[in-house]
């Protein structure tokens, strides 16, 4: 995977505000690779500690990494059965908000 792509993914992920979530696909679009959501997921798997990987979820509003639930709940996000409650309201779209 290209190092520049990873760094772009990390930059966008760092911009996600506390208490909000974005998706692998939205980040892929924001960095110019709209069909590369899996690559974003792969990049997030090995991201630095200063990247809030817990705020990046699947497009269906489901947590891909169940271990991230406590971090999201600590930011005030309600989760039921690994699904973000009020996902559409909490969704942060980098293309619309940057």
């Amino acid at each position: 995977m290209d190092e520049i792509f990873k760094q772009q993914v990390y930059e966008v992920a760092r911009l996600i505000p506390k208490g909000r979530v974005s998706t692998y696909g939205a980040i892929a679009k924001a960095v110019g690779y709209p069909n590369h959501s899996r690559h974003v997921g792969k990049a997030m798997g090995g991201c630095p500690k200063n990247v809030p990987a817990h705020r990046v979820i699947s497009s269906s509003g489901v947590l891909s990494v169940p271990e991230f639930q406590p971090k999201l709940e600590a930011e005030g996000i309600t989760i039921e059965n690994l699904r973000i409650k009020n996902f559409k309201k909490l969704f942060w779209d980098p293309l619309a908000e940057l």
Side-chain angles (χ1 to χ4, degrees), residues 85-96:
K85 200 163 185 189
N86 298 319
F87 171 62
K88 289 184 180 181
K89 182 180 168 201
L90 298 175
F91 175 65
W92 182 79
D93 183 355
L95 290 179

Side-chain angles (χ1 to χ4, degrees), residues 19-21 69 72-79 84-85 90:
R20 303 280 302 277
V21 293
Q69 184 168 340
L72 290 167
E73 289 175 335
E75 293 184 8
I77 295 174
T78 304
I79 300 163
I84 303 287
K85 200 163 185 189
L90 298 175

Side-chain angles (χ1 to χ4, degrees), residues 25-98:
I27 292 174
K29 280 183 195 171
V31 299
Y33 293 91
N35 297 318
H36 288 73
S37 56
R38 287 182 188 218
H39 288 91
V40 171
K42 202 170 185 180
M44 296 305 287
C47 70
K49 290 187 186 271
N50 67 345
V51 176
H54 63 284
R55 296 182 192 145
V56 184
I57 61 172
S58 73
S59 60
S60 61
V62 174
L63 295 185
S64 302
V65 183
E67 293 79 16
F68 288 161
Q69 184 168 340
K71 286 184 177 185
L72 290 167
E73 289 175 335
E75 293 184 8
I77 295 174
T78 304
I79 300 163
E80 291 178 357
N81 298 322
L82 297 179
R83 184 174 298 277
I84 303 287
K85 200 163 185 189
N86 298 319
F87 171 62
K88 289 184 180 181
K89 182 180 168 201
L90 298 175
F91 175 65
W92 182 79
D93 183 355
L95 290 179
E97 302 202 38
L98 290 179

Side-chain angles (χ1 to χ4, degrees), residues 7-22:
Q7 292 307 317
Q8 290 173 326
V9 166
Y10 300 156
E11 277 184 49
V12 173
R14 284 185 190 107
L15 297 172
I16 304 169
K18 276 188 179 181
R20 303 280 302 277
V21 293
S22 194

